[in-house]
Amino acid sequence: RLEGHVVELQTAENSEIPYEVAELAALVLHPREGGPDAAAEGLLAVVHGSPNSEARRNACAVLRAVLPAVLMTQEGLTSSQPNVSKTLQASRVAALKLTCDIIRGVPALLRPSSECLAETGKVVVRDSEGIPQNPKGEDDPVLAWLQHILFMAPDRAEWRAAAADSAIAVLAVATAVAGDVTPSFSARFFDFLGRLSCCERASGRTIATEVAVIALDRRAELVSEGESAASMSQQLLGLLARLCADVSPTVRSHGMAGIAAALPAVALYDEGPQLLRTAEHTGLDLAAIFLAGAQDDRAMVRRSALSLLDASVRALRDSLGLGAKELVGRFRIELLGRLASDDSMMVRKASVNSMSLLRQLAPLRSVCLLWVQNVPQLALDAEASVAERALDEMEAAIVVPISRQHFEAVSGGHPAPSLPAVLEALDSESLECVQRGLQRFAKRAQGNVTKFTAGLAAFVRASLSQPLSAWPHAVWPLLEEMAALGPSAGVPAALVLDAWEAFQSAKGEAFAESALLGARILSVLVHVIPQLPRNRAAGLVASLCEQISSLAVPACQVQPATRVVLQLDQAGLARPGFVPKWRSALLRTIEGLLTEYVRLGHESLSETMQGKLAHSLFTLGELALVDEGALSDAAVVAIQTLASSPAAGDGRLITDASTRGHAIVALGKLCLRREDLAKRSVELFVLHLSASDSFAVRSNALVVLGDLCEHYTSLVDRFVPSMADLLRDPNELLRKQSAMVLASLLSENFIKFRGSLLYRFVYALSDPADDVRLLVESVFARIIHRQHPALLSQSFVDIICAINGWAGHDQFQGAVGNECFSLQASPARRTAIYRFLLSLMSREHKFSVCAQLVTVLLASFIEEEERLLLPKDETEPGGQALDDVLALLGCKEMKVCFSGQASAEEAIDAELAASQAVSAAGVAVAQGALSAMLRKVVCESIVPVLVQLRRLMEEQRSPFLGRLGHCLCEILREFKDDLRELCGGDARLAQEVAFDLSQKDGPKARSQRCPLSCTARATETADLGVLQGASQGILPIDVEVSRPDRADALHSQPMEVDSGLSDLQAATKLHSKQPEAQVFRAPRDKVYSAKAPRLGATAGVSAVPDVASGTSGPAEVPEVPPSPLPLREAETPKSVGLVGAMMELRSERKPAKGASLESDGWSCSREAMLSPIASTPMGSGRAMGLVRFAEMQSSAKRGA
């Protein structure tokens, strides 16, 4: 009874689902005020109250009726539905509970009906195709229900996760109930899961990863008696490892994330340590998978690779007990540095998490170096979330441990303080980033940094009793940042002064970095002068003035010492008038020294004074920045003389390189304060950039010019090409410094990125030194491209001509004046430049580049007026430029310009579509409009030029004709159905292009396979490196085009989505013994439509929607080996020949009896609504198919 009404079964002969079942199921699908639970109880009563002869049939009807509720698709999934509603969740819970109760009440549902009938002695009557005539639609319904759940789950994150969880929940109940009924039930399900992981649809492979992860987590519930839990774990881990090398980035990402999620559970297994210990030999090579993921071209995969690294490190340490060195040695952690500068925000943020974990688990020197080189920089990231995460990590790694030292010292134990490990690895570059990161941390903490300051003071206090070599150098820069915040930071001024006096008294303990330590102490003193005691301040002034006047202070201490003296005078802590008198006397001393040296030469000075000459110049420059008016004209002339004097004589003044470098710096500081002097001296600085000068002189002159450009931009702007000329200097450090100076000026818009500066920076993109090249790439990606997104596409043709040294075209004269920056003899370096520039361009910009290459550059060779002559040789500059243009038009990086139907990975990210609910219809409409526009442009603007150029090359027998043919093929590949129209009616050309395309996509090309490793996938399209370096014998830079991944064991057993034709199965079975190219692969666009495929056929014939190959497979599914990683095969186009003819026959056949299209999205026959997608022995229908295939084969031979 249900709400007072008697449920009466109607078992009409023509009714598949009783009327009451349909009505109650509707209440489950669309619950009303009472909720779906009452209706679910009524459906359960229908099943339990059925006679034994009808129980299986009614249970199958109920399972099918509530299936949309489990999938949560009863309302129809639309793009406007952002998440799962509470109503759908309630319906799903009720339907799932009902399904589990039905399985518990009718355990026979877990067995195929053929087994049940065989036990009773009944004969299973089959038709010519092997489909059982009776019973109908009742063969292995629970397995088929699970397969439907996974195969028909919507490709949306919440729905997919719910479907995977539902499938495992039902599988757990089925495994517990199966017992002696059918012990192999879970094994049959996992066989299907292996097939699903190789399906053609990315969504099917994606949900297979989620199911595998949940299954590994709940393994104990899914293993029947007599089955090996270790074998199941190894099978599922092998499945996930294969999917990490999938063609779809979404699947690769889910595969790696799946392994990361499963590793904690695997580590807790009894056999977990053994699985992890032998992972490299069983296909689960965690290090190799991380390496491939970290180098992937999709951000979501790189993000998942970092998650995999985190999980792997934890699992290996906890399960195998590996030490820090073994953990770090297993993985290439240097890749974290590249990922920390990734374009993707989520990758940079995840890299901070990975470096944080490594710092905690393996605080080795290499890990700490990696940390200090990347995390402090990320604290200054433009993305707020990345900067916040990096600041959190800096707080955990630096602030918290140092703050803890104060409390330990106050507690009375006075233990020897120990610096955090990361501070021991600081270098000069990372130190500045740490200081700026602490500024942000203090701002975030609203200046409440007293605990941190107290901790730093504890380190300083403890070091006073130790030798200088034991003092913690890294503490002082941090203390300087705290002191710069003001008195509120609580830096003890008296303690800093004590440290300086202790440093002064221990000068006899000089060591390599003692001078730098003193400079850092003075830098802190500058900020705490107002808090100094007056009685001690006077002595400090006198001591510093005496040391500076002796000209014996190291150069690094001159600036902070001078600042301390001036600050003390301004604060009124020095005697009135003492500091000005001291400064005037010091200037007179230095001027006299310089004048005497210039007048009489170096022999006029004693050895002691000659050693002080460099210190005098540096001190003079610092004093000039304070008061340039106190410097006489004679001193200025002396500095100019020293700066311009040669290193060797002919009777002139001889000056060593170090002294000249200091003179250049001193003169530059004077120029910053005197504009008239800067106007007279700027050419002198430019002159000293020449290669004839020493490195010290050239480097200092470059820095001075950079500073002058910020103060007097118009004065230095005309000399920017001379500064950029250093980008090709043999000295790597000078090239890097030149790039840094110019990048600083570009970022502040002091100079414009145009003319020779553009071409010379592009030249530096192929610098042989990694540090220089990566710096220039960062300049392009983070400064130039963000300021001017269209600049690279607008200048691309000019760049091609410039780096090839070709100035034959009037419109593109970039090579003029930049002959020394030509890469004509270096095709590999040109390839690297093109690839990087194209990676920054959007699809529209690439299409603009293509239009310029064809309609402007190539069209100039066929114009009637002012026609350019075709190059005769590939080695001349014009030939190299033409060769590059044709290679670019045919390379895979530019191929996306001509594709109106961009791949899902290029057009819209699958996960982004799931989160933002982007409708497939909207994407299809946009792609259709874009395809029409592209077709028009290609037909009217691009192809006519290439066709005319082809005819010209044929007439002149040009060596570039083959490259042009390849270019035409790649451009017309997306328009192969309209070749004759696009070729201007030239039937011969259309036939040649069609033939070339068929050769590229023919059986031989399709049958070729490349072994797949974790670092490279099989490639199909000729890439830019191959095309560019082929004629010169240059090794190409790999650019990969991946194709769907399938296991070898499944290649020999192709499968078909619609399993109604056993003859096609038999044909495919025979063809699997032939060469790989003859195996039928159904086209993606015809196998899958908006409707679900027909699932299931019989108990005797496999009816699997193999999702991967699109063909129906034989009964037996071999165990998918977890090792080695599978091969990847190129995608096969539409089949032709005998199997193609069979496919045409299949399309002409009428649908099976009872077939219908359901409004709820089903497209399967009611007679086979719950037939399994499983493997069973080949029945009589398969044998009939073999006979039919043999007849058709003999007919084809007779026709031939």
Side-chain angles (χ1 to χ4, degrees):
R1 293 179 177 274
L2 181 65
E3 297 182 358
H5 299 281
V6 179
V7 177
E8 182 180 354
L9 283 177
Q10 295 183 359
T11 57
E13 184 176 354
N14 296 326
S15 175
E16 291 293 338
I17 300 180
Y19 177 76
E20 284 74 13
V21 171
E23 290 295 319
L24 292 173
L27 293 177
V28 175
L29 298 177
H30 308 282
R32 298 180 182 178
E33 295 181 359
D37 295 332
E41 292 177 3
L43 288 172
L44 184 62
V46 169
V47 174
H48 289 173
S50 303
N52 292 336
S53 58
E54 297 292 335
R56 189 181 187 92
R57 183 171 181 271
N58 288 330
C60 292
V62 170
L63 290 177
R64 180 191 184 280
V66 301
L67 186 56
V70 179
L71 291 170
M72 296 186 294
T73 57
Q74 61 267 40
E75 300 291 346
L77 191 61
T78 62
S79 60
S80 60
Q81 190 171 351
N83 47 36
V84 180
S85 65
K86 292 183 178 180
T87 303
L88 291 179
Q89 293 177 1
S91 297
R92 172 180 169 270
V93 171
L96 196 59
K97 182 177 181 300
L98 171 64
T99 303
C100 295
D101 291 340
I102 290 176
I103 294 174
R104 293 188 185 97
V106 190
L109 294 174
L110 301 175
R111 302 180 63 189
S113 59
S114 56
E115 295 182 9
C116 299
L117 293 174
E119 290 180 358
T120 58
K122 296 182 180 179
V123 178
V124 180
V125 181
R126 306 177 185 271
D127 61 8
S128 60
E129 297 178 357
I131 300 177
Q133 297 298 310
N134 188 29
K136 300 177 181 179
E138 301 172 14
D139 186 62
D140 215 349
V142 176
L143 180 59
W145 187 91
L146 291 171
Q147 293 165 347
H148 279 72
I149 285 290
L150 301 183
F151 192 72
M152 299 181 66
D155 192 17
R156 297 273 295 277
E158 292 187 55
W159 278 260
R160 189 171 57 237
D165 185 70
S166 301
I168 293 299
V170 172
L171 179 63
V173 173
T175 304
V177 172
D180 299 331
V181 178
T182 171
S184 63
F185 182 82
S186 60
R188 299 204 308 274
F189 172 79
F190 287 120
D191 285 342
F192 163 75
L193 189 65
R195 289 176 176 264
L196 185 65
S197 68
C198 300
C199 73
E200 195 73 17
R201 292 195 312 179
S203 60
R205 304 196 296 276
T206 302
I207 198 171
T209 64
E210 299 191 9
V211 173
V213 173
I214 301 175
L216 286 169
D217 188 51
R218 302 176 60 178
R219 186 185 69 164
E221 305 174 41
L222 306 178
V223 179
S224 303
E225 294 183 6
E227 294 184 352
S228 172
S231 175
M232 188 194 82
S233 301
Q234 189 172 1
Q235 179 184 0
L236 293 177
L237 289 173
L239 181 150
L240 292 173
R242 288 200 319 276
L243 293 177
C244 291
D246 195 86
V247 61
S248 169
T250 303
V251 179
R252 294 199 299 274
S253 173
H254 278 78
M256 295 180 189
I259 294 179
L263 281 178
V266 172
L268 298 177
Y269 296 163
D270 294 337
E271 71 280 5
Q274 182 63 24
L275 281 175
L276 295 175
R277 189 175 292 107
T278 60
E280 297 180 3
H281 308 292
T282 57
L284 190 64
D285 192 343
L286 299 176
I289 295 174
F290 166 71
L291 176 62
Q295 297 177 334
D296 199 275
D297 56 350
R298 297 307 298 271
M300 69 170 77
V301 182
R302 299 194 295 273
R303 169 65 181 85
S304 297
L306 289 169
S307 300
L308 174 63
L309 174 66
D310 298 347
S312 301
V313 169
R314 288 192 179 96
L316 292 174
R317 191 199 66 160
D318 297 340
S319 182
L320 300 183
L322 296 183
K325 290 184 178 180
E326 293 175 309
L327 281 177
V328 174
R330 285 203 174 206
F331 300 93
R332 288 184 55 182
I333 62 171
E334 65 271 12
L335 291 175
L336 293 177
R338 293 173 54 184
L339 296 174
S341 59
D342 197 90
D343 293 336
S344 170
M345 176 269 295
M346 63 179 181
V347 175
R348 298 198 301 274
K349 192 173 180 180
S351 68
V352 178
N353 297 332
S354 298
M355 285 184 280
S356 173
L357 180 66
L358 287 174
R359 175 189 61 80
Q360 298 173 42
L361 301 184
L364 302 177
R365 175 75 178 179
S366 58
V367 174
C368 294
L369 281 173
L370 184 69
W371 191 96
V372 300
Q373 291 170 359
N374 296 282
V375 174
Q377 294 182 8
L378 291 174
L380 311 176
D381 198 273
E383 183 65 37
S385 60
V386 178
E388 285 295 318
R389 179 64 190 91
L391 285 177
D392 292 340
E393 171 58 16
M394 288 185 64
E395 182 179 4
I398 297 176
V399 177
V400 172
I402 290 180
S403 300
R404 191 181 301 121
Q405 294 295 330
H406 168 65
F407 295 104
E408 292 179 355
V410 171
S411 63
H414 297 290
S418 58
L419 271 180
V422 294
L423 292 181
E424 300 289 351
L426 282 177
D427 54 17
S428 58
E429 293 184 4
S430 58
L431 179 59
E432 182 180 357
C433 294
V434 170
Q435 290 178 290
R436 296 175 65 184
L438 286 177
Q439 290 178 6
R440 288 199 172 189
F441 168 76
K443 184 177 180 180
R444 187 178 70 170
Q446 299 180 350
N448 186 16
V449 292
T450 54
K451 295 179 180 179
F452 179 60
T453 304
L456 293 173
F459 278 97
V460 174
R461 195 174 292 108
S463 64
L464 294 180
S465 59
Q466 300 176 355
L468 289 182
S469 57
W471 284 27
H473 289 223
V475 167
W476 292 101
L478 307 185
L479 198 59
E480 179 186 358
E481 290 303 320
M482 297 299 102
L485 298 176
S488 61
V491 177
L495 179 63
V496 178
L497 185 56
D498 291 340
W500 171 250
E501 292 175 350
F503 174 81
Q504 288 291 98
S505 61
K507 275 190 174 180
E509 304 177 15
F511 61 100
E513 298 183 357
S514 59
L516 182 59
L517 177 61
R520 289 173 175 173
I521 297 174
L522 288 172
S523 297
V524 179
L525 264 177
V526 170
H527 298 288
V528 298
I529 283 175
Q531 289 83 43
L532 285 177
R534 180 174 292 272
N535 57 345
R536 301 181 65 183
L540 177 62
V541 171
S543 172
L544 290 176
C545 289
E546 181 182 355
Q547 293 180 42
I548 297 174
S549 300
S550 66
L551 300 178
V553 178
C556 60
Q557 295 181 13
V558 172
Q559 181 184 20
T562 306
R563 291 177 61 194
V564 169
V565 171
L566 296 177
Q567 290 287 339
L568 287 169
D569 184 48
Q570 293 176 5
L573 298 178
R575 295 195 308 270
F578 174 77
V579 173
K581 291 180 181 179
W582 163 80
R583 187 169 63 231
S584 300
L586 179 60
L587 284 174
R588 286 194 301 269
T589 302
I590 295 176
E591 287 177 12
L593 177 65
L594 297 179
T595 304
E596 184 180 2
Y597 181 84
V598 171
R599 185 169 58 87
L600 301 176
H602 68 284
E603 296 179 356
S604 63
L605 300 178
S606 63
E607 294 183 2
T608 304
M609 294 306 296
Q610 287 181 16
K612 294 181 179 181
L613 185 61
H615 291 78
S616 301
L617 289 168
F618 193 84
T619 305
L620 185 64
E622 291 299 322
L623 294 175
L625 289 176
V626 178
D627 183 12
E628 79 286 355
L631 205 62
S632 66
D633 293 339
V636 175
V637 173
I639 295 174
Q640 289 178 323
T641 305
L642 289 172
S644 58
S645 62
D650 296 337
R652 293 178 290 174
L653 180 66
I654 300 176
T655 308
D656 62 278
S658 175
T659 303
R660 291 184 64 207
H662 280 289
I664 290 287
V665 173
L667 184 60
K669 292 177 181 179
L670 283 172
C671 291
L672 292 176
R673 303 303 301 267
R674 297 184 182 182
E675 186 174 359
D676 58 334
L677 181 60
K679 292 179 180 179
R680 298 196 308 268
S681 306
V682 64
E683 282 126 359
L684 176 65
F685 296 127
V686 176
L687 179 64
H688 289 312
L689 294 177
S690 63
S692 58
D693 274 305
S694 65
F695 169 76
V697 174
R698 300 171 72 196
S699 176
N700 288 344
L702 176 65
V703 174
V704 168
L705 284 172
D707 290 340
L708 291 178
C709 189
E710 295 183 8
H711 285 76
Y712 319 110
T713 304
S714 59
L715 185 64
V716 185
D717 186 64
R718 58 196 174 107
F719 298 112
V720 168
S722 300
M723 300 167 65
D725 192 57
L726 296 179
L727 290 172
R728 65 178 180 87
D729 195 84
N731 190 300
E732 177 185 340
L733 183 57
L734 198 56
R735 295 199 306 271
K736 183 177 181 180
Q737 189 162 346
S738 175
M740 293 174 65
V741 170
L742 293 172
S744 176
L745 297 175
L746 284 170
S747 63
E748 300 295 334
N749 289 321
F750 289 111
I751 58 177
K752 301 298 181 183
F753 192 69
R754 59 190 177 192
S756 60
L757 183 61
L758 166 64
Y759 308 124
R760 296 178 184 189
F761 252 95
V762 168
Y763 173 90
L765 282 173
S766 63
D767 195 281
D770 290 342
D771 289 344
V772 180
R773 186 182 69 255
L774 293 175
L775 173 62
V776 177
E777 287 180 356
S778 299
V779 173
F780 271 92
R782 301 192 177 187
I783 298 177
I784 298 170
H785 185 60
R786 291 181 181 178
Q787 292 178 351
H788 311 286
L791 176 64
L792 298 179
S793 61
Q794 294 169 357
S795 308
F796 197 82
V797 183
D798 254 325
I799 290 171
I800 294 175
C801 298
I803 63 178
N804 281 285
W806 183 57
H809 199 291
D810 294 338
Q811 297 183 28
F812 308 113
Q813 296 294 309
V816 178
N818 297 291
E819 291 81 3
C820 295
F821 289 86
S822 172
L823 292 172
Q824 178 189 351
S826 304
R829 294 181 64 177
R830 298 200 307 271
T831 299
I833 292 174
Y834 297 146
R835 181 173 295 119
F836 176 77
L837 294 180
L838 290 175
S839 69
L840 296 179
M841 296 184 193
S842 64
R843 194 177 182 189
E844 292 76 12
H845 290 158
K846 289 182 180 179
F847 192 79
S848 173
V849 169
C850 287
Q852 292 180 55
L853 292 175
V854 176
T855 60
V856 180
L857 186 59
L858 295 183
S860 61
F861 293 104
I862 60 174
E863 290 178 352
E864 296 182 0
E865 300 179 359
E866 300 180 359
R867 174 185 299 180
L868 292 181
L869 297 179
L870 273 176
K872 300 297 184 183
D873 189 4
E874 294 181 353
T875 58
E876 60 181 284
Q880 290 287 349
L882 179 58
D883 198 57
D884 286 2
V885 169
L886 296 177
L888 284 164
L889 290 174
C891 72
K892 109 176 167 58
E893 287 89 344
M894 297 286 277
K895 186 179 178 182
V896 67
C897 302
F898 308 106
S899 176
Q901 186 179 0
S903 63
E905 291 80 10
E906 293 289 341
I908 184 169
D909 188 277
E911 290 301 316
L912 184 63
S915 61
Q916 296 182 354
V918 178
S919 65
V923 174
V925 170
Q927 288 181 352
L930 180 60
S931 178
M933 183 199 72
L934 288 176
R935 187 179 183 281
K936 180 179 179 181
V937 174
V938 170
C939 182
E940 296 179 359
S941 302
I942 295 179
V943 174
V945 174
L946 297 179
V947 170
Q948 293 182 57
L949 185 61
R950 185 176 186 274
R951 292 169 182 166
L952 179 63
M953 288 184 176
E954 288 176 343
E955 293 174 1
Q956 300 185 9
R957 298 190 176 184
S958 172
F960 304 99
L961 185 60
R963 183 60 56 80
L964 179 60
H966 169 80
C967 174
L968 265 174
C969 286
E970 293 302 323
I971 292 176
L972 297 177
R973 183 181 296 276
E974 299 294 330
F975 310 96
K976 61 178 69 176
D977 295 333
D978 303 312
L979 285 180
R980 186 161 184 172
E981 180 183 353
L982 290 171
C983 292
D986 190 336
R988 184 175 68 86
L989 176 60
Q991 292 175 358
E992 290 180 4
V993 173
F995 177 78
D996 290 342
L997 290 175
S998 65
Q999 289 295 105
K1000 293 178 183 297
D1001 298 332
K1004 183 177 180 180
R1006 293 196 302 268
S1007 62
Q1008 292 177 348
R1009 286 170 158 191
C1010 299
L1012 172 67
S1013 67
C1014 288
T1015 57
R1017 291 184 295 274
T1019 60
E1020 179 202 26
T1021 305
D1023 62 38
L1024 185 56
V1026 173
L1027 299 177
Q1028 186 59 36
S1031 59
Q1032 290 82 5
I1034 301 297
L1035 290 176
I1037 300 175
D1038 293 335
V1039 176
E1040 302 160 352
V1041 178
S1042 304
R1043 290 302 181 190
D1045 172 277
R1046 298 174 181 86
D1048 285 344
L1050 297 176
H1051 280 304
S1052 61
Q1053 301 196 24
M1055 302 185 300
E1056 167 59 32
V1057 171
D1058 191 335
S1059 56
L1061 290 179
S1062 298
D1063 53 355
L1064 184 59
Q1065 298 172 350
T1068 312
K1069 175 66 176 179
L1070 283 183
H1071 271 268
S1072 65
K1073 300 179 181 180
Q1074 302 299 324
E1076 181 71 19
Q1078 300 181 20
V1079 177
F1080 172 72
R1081 298 282 188 254
R1084 296 187 186 186
D1085 55 345
K1086 295 196 175 180
V1087 171
Y1088 294 102
S1089 62
K1091 294 291 184 179
R1094 178 171 178 239
L1095 299 180
T1098 104
V1101 180
S1102 172
V1104 182
D1106 170 42
V1107 250
S1109 57
T1111 58
S1112 73
E1116 299 80 5
V1117 181
E1119 182 178 355
V1120 180
S1123 172
L1125 288 178
L1127 304 176
R1128 174 163 295 146
E1129 129 183 292
E1131 180 186 18
T1132 306
K1134 297 180 180 180
S1135 179
V1136 294
L1138 179 58
V1139 179
M1142 295 176 62
M1143 193 61 187
E1144 294 177 2
L1145 290 175
R1146 175 187 180 278
S1147 63
E1148 295 175 0
R1149 296 188 58 164
K1150 296 181 180 179
K1153 180 180 178 181
S1156 63
L1157 297 177
E1158 298 294 336
S1159 59
D1160 58 2
W1162 286 70
S1163 179
C1164 61
S1165 168
R1166 287 185 181 273
E1167 297 176 351
M1169 57 187 174
L1170 287 180
S1171 296
I1173 311 172
S1175 336
T1176 51
M1178 179 170 60
S1180 58
R1182 181 65 57 88
M1184 292 297 296
L1186 294 173
V1187 175
R1188 292 181 186 179
F1189 174 77
E1191 293 174 354
M1192 294 181 67
Q1193 190 176 34
S1194 60
S1195 299
K1197 290 182 179 179
R1198 288 195 300 270

